Every structure is written in structure tokens, then in C-alpha cells.
Amino acid sequence: MKKLPWGIIAGICAIVVFFTTVGTVAAFIILNAVAAQTSETATLFDEWWQTVLFVFSILSAVGFIGSLTMCFLKTNGKQTEGEANENEAI
């Protein structure tokens, strides 16, 4: 697990979260405007693909938080050569 590029994975998840959130909001605004013209109402989960997009956004956000946590744990767990030698001398 220490060899995985957690920072890159966190960045990819952040990009996916951003674009899926923008897509979800844009789809809701557009479908709500169309529904208003026809005297109907629209919700966030009217279409199956809106639900999938929302779930994918949530899963990507969880992946981002997990990857960011692992990235911080990986970088804080590293010791420089001098620190390692000091710890062995004690």
C-alpha cells in the first residue's frame, strides 16, 4: 500500500468529484427549466442517469477523502536518513 501514488489518486478523484457535481447540478437546472415550461416539476432523481451520476459523485468524494488521508499518512511516515540514524542511536 505504501507504493501507491496516493496524491495522484486523490487528484483524479477530486477532478471526478468536481465534474460529476457540475454535471449533476447542470442537469437538474436544465431539466427543471424544461419541466417548468411544461407546467411539471423535476427532481434530482427523476432519471436513472441522474441517480447514477449523483452516486458516482458521492463515491468519488469518499475516494478523494480516503486517498488524501493515505497521502498524508504516507508523507508523515517517512523519515530522512539522518532521523533514522538518530532513532537507532537512542
Side-chain angles (χ1 to χ4, degrees):
M1 295 291 276
K2 290 187 177 189
K3 299 268 184 196
L4 288 176
W6 291 112
I8 294 173
I9 295 171
I12 291 169
C13 287
I15 292 169
V16 171
V17 167
F18 175 76
F19 284 114
T20 55
T21 303
V22 168
T24 301
V25 171
F28 175 71
I29 290 171
I30 291 169
L31 291 176
N32 196 25
V34 170
Q37 292 296 320
T38 59
S39 299
E40 295 181 11
T41 58
T43 64
L44 186 60
F45 305 110
D46 276 345
E47 302 290 331
W48 66 270
W49 55 269
Q50 287 177 291
T51 305
V52 170
L53 194 61
F54 181 74
V55 169
F56 195 63
S57 178
I58 296 297
L59 291 176
S60 297
V62 170
F64 169 70
I65 292 169
S67 298
L68 194 61
T69 302
M70 291 300 290
C71 181
F72 285 141
L73 290 176
K74 179 182 171 185
T75 56
N76 289 336
K78 288 184 180 179
Q79 290 182 343
T80 62
E81 190 174 316
E83 289 175 347
N85 292 337
E86 288 176 9
N87 290 338
E88 289 176 4
I90 296 175

